[in-house]
Amino acid sequence: MNINIAAVDYDGLIPNNVGLGDDPRVKRALEKWHPGYIDWWKDMGPEGFQESLVYLRTAVSVDPKGWAKFDYVRMPEYRWGVLLAPAHEGRKIPFGRHKGEDAWQEVPGEYRAMLRRLIVIQGDTEPASVEQQRHLGKTAPSLYDLRNLFQVNVEEGRHLWAMVYLLQKYFGTDGREEAEALLQRRSGHPDTPRMLGAFNEKTPDWLSFFMFTYFTDRDGKMQLEALAQSGFDPLSRTCRFMLTEEAHHMFVGETGVTRVIQRTCEAMKEAGISDPNNIEAVRKLGVIDLPTIQKKANMHFSLTLDLFGNEISTNAANAFHSGLKGRYREDRLKDDHQLESGTYPVLRLIGGKIQNEDVPALSALNMRLRDDYVVDANVGVSRWNKVIADRGIPFQVKLPHVAFHRHIGEFVDINTDVDGNLLSDAEWTKRRNEFLPSDGDRVFIESLMQPQFEPAKFASWIAPPKVGIDNKPGEFEYVKIA
Ligand SMILES: [Fe+2]
Ligand SMILES: [Fe+2]
């Protein structure tokens, strides 16, 4: 690989294992798209740190033992690559009506529009989260956390590249237009918002960032897992490699929340406070009380559930039936992989009550993915609870009921408490602040968001990590702020 990035050699500029050097049409398309991407990054990427040297990993191959290399880099000079996981020789379409046929290496004409839509929706989430997180740098609780934020950001940028490569390579003129449009939409913009609700919400503080990377990047993982099963082989291979990076994003979220909880519990113990609901006393210690952490979790979990779409969905049925989007770890499931008969239980609102109904399995695929998500999300929550229990504090973080605070699907028109008990509008208005962060909570959290840019130091409200990135020692300067 040519690593001379001074000369504009796009094969060298873009680490890739897709033979870009021998594919002049796609290479030219990406060369044309690249300046717009850099403009977008400078405009909407991390604010105030574009000149800083950041200790980042860059994906340079797909070798499981050494796919990334770590070095200091200015973010606009990051080498966003196009990397596909290795092909599986003779791979077959693993599910749906084409099950057992050879996997597609070119776009199947009859499914072109549906496939493009799936790629565009996935692609749209990637730059969206960079936009949502762009103001966080200036309040980072440590250089370690600042570096992790930027790592997540540049990798979401790379995920955009991954989807844009598919659009440019396989979808001709309309692919090119979609690639342009991905740079035009803006998170939270009144006229040209990002495509999905949760990606238009604000990420106002670092606890939100950790919750977002824990809950919302985990939706990303589920979607990528489902697309990694795709009969369209280039999409499958792209998503398989993206999952490698995604794991770090969820690590940042899970350990971030863990460290916040740990610090809170330790400060409470030192101060001799045993009641987690003594919020005022806990806040005086300069840490975030556990009930507020719970409210943040309620918020981000419920917003993320909306990303799974409607409980009953013809689109999801079609995407599966056509062989484009599978289930979570389809290849490990033991059934006919076609689902033309059979049912799946779905929580619905029936006669004013929340109850299970068996519906045709094909139309319940969003639900199935969401159920798998909830199981996955609970694993880390129990690790958080262990941190609390180990310090003897009587408190458990609990994910709210799936009907709580929903903006898409069966439960949009009702209000419930976090246990799924129905509430009238009046009760909801009265009790909302019990369940979700109030203005007061937001103001308090904001007051803690003071930057800590000295190596080895951490803000008052968060514990240091157990180990450094790339095994670096505690005093390592992860970001050289310019
Ligand atoms: Fe991503
Ligand atoms: Fe991610």
Side-chain angles (χ1 to χ4, degrees), residues 309-325:
N310 284 310
E311 285 83 346
I312 312 289
S313 164
T314 329
N315 282 345
N318 288 338
F320 182 87
H321 194 55
S322 322
L324 300 183
K325 182 177 177 184

Side-chain angles (χ1 to χ4, degrees), residues 213-227:
T213 40
Y214 185 76
F215 287 112
T216 309
D217 281 74
R218 189 174 307 276
D219 160 71
K221 165 184 162 179
M222 302 307 288
Q223 303 299 338
L224 292 175
E225 288 271 9
L227 294 172

Side-chain angles (χ1 to χ4, degrees), residues 14 17 33 35 42 55 74 94 98 107 116 138 146 151 158 177 224 252 276 289 341 353 363 398 409 431 455 460 470:
I14 306 169
N17 65 356
W33 186 78
K42 287 187 171 162
Y55 192 70
R74 285 185 189 85
H98 301 287
V107 173
R116 192 186 62 208
K138 50 180 175 285
L146 187 62
Q151 184 70 62
R158 203 202 67 77
E177 282 163 11
L224 292 175
V252 168
D289 53 284
S341 56
K353 284 207 182 86
S363 39
K398 199 170 152 245
R431 295 184 59 194
S460 67
D470 194 29

Side-chain angles (χ1 to χ4, degrees), residues 98-355:
H98 301 287
K99 179 176 173 275
E101 297 172 18
D102 287 342
W104 296 297
Q105 300 303 329
E106 294 295 331
V107 173
E110 50 186 322
Y111 305 134
R112 194 173 188 279
M114 209 191 317
L115 188 55
R116 192 186 62 208
R117 175 104 186 137
L118 286 171
I119 294 170
V120 167
I121 291 176
Q122 180 61 43
D124 193 65
T125 65
E126 315 289 359
S129 64
V130 176
E131 293 165 359
Q132 287 170 295
Q133 295 160 13
R134 66 183 299 252
H135 300 298
L136 290 173
K138 50 180 175 285
T139 56
S142 72
L143 291 182
Y144 166 89
D145 291 290
L146 187 62
R147 177 264 166 210
N148 284 352
L149 166 70
F150 295 156
Q151 184 70 62
V152 171
N153 292 161
V154 292
E155 285 177 352
E156 299 306 3
R158 203 202 67 77
H159 292 175
L160 173 60
W161 274 86
M163 292 299 119
V164 162
Y165 169 73
L166 294 179
L167 290 169
Q168 303 272 25
K169 165 110 180 141
Y170 296 99
F171 290 88
T173 310
D174 46 335
R176 203 152 55 238
E177 282 163 11
E178 294 285 12
E180 277 310 314
L182 284 165
L183 295 177
Q184 303 308 323
R185 288 184 287 273
R186 291 284 181 272
S187 176
H189 194 284
D191 304 321
T192 55
R194 292 293 172 184
M195 297 169 87
L196 302 174
F199 291 91
N200 287 302
E201 298 285 333
K202 287 205 161 65
T203 309
D205 58 68
W206 276 79
L207 183 54
S208 276
F209 171 65
F210 294 135
M211 291 291 180
F212 185 98
T213 40
Y214 185 76
F215 287 112
T216 309
D217 281 74
R218 189 174 307 276
D219 160 71
K221 165 184 162 179
M222 302 307 288
Q223 303 299 338
L224 292 175
E225 288 271 9
L227 294 172
Q229 303 288 338
S230 182
F232 180 53
D233 209 41
L235 178 60
S236 163
R237 292 173 57 197
T238 302
C239 291
R240 271 198 283 136
F241 184 66
M242 289 162 76
L243 281 162
T244 318
E245 295 161 310
E246 207 56 55
H248 178 66
H249 307 179
M250 286 175 293
F251 161 86
V252 168
E254 183 180 334
T255 56
V257 176
T258 301
R259 290 160 54 217
V260 177
I261 288 175
Q262 183 193 331
R263 183 69 202 109
T264 300
C265 295
E266 285 167 0
M268 286 173 68
K269 280 199 85 175
E270 285 158 23
I273 301 169
S274 53
D275 178 6
N277 293 309
N278 192 349
I279 290 171
E280 215 180 306
V282 173
R283 287 186 176 183
K284 279 199 185 119
L285 307 172
V287 295
I288 306 173
D289 53 284
L290 298 174
T292 298
I293 294 172
Q294 172 71 65
K295 287 197 244 178
K296 281 279 199 184
N298 293 346
M299 171 81 127
H300 287 272
F301 178 71
S302 59
L303 287 173
T304 302
L305 292 187
D306 286 338
L307 294 172
F308 290 87
N310 284 310
E311 285 83 346
I312 312 289
S313 164
T314 329
N315 282 345
N318 288 338
F320 182 87
H321 194 55
S322 322
L324 300 183
K325 182 177 177 184
R327 288 170 292 177
Y328 180 57
R329 300 189 173 162
E330 183 77 39
D331 47 0
R332 297 188 206 171
L333 298 174
K334 301 249 175 302
D335 58 21
D336 69 358
H337 301 280
Q338 293 187 309
L339 306 180
E340 282 164 27
S341 56
T343 61
Y344 188 81
V346 172
L347 266 191
R348 306 197 65 182
L349 190 66
I350 301 168
K353 284 207 182 86
I354 298 171
Q355 45 189 293

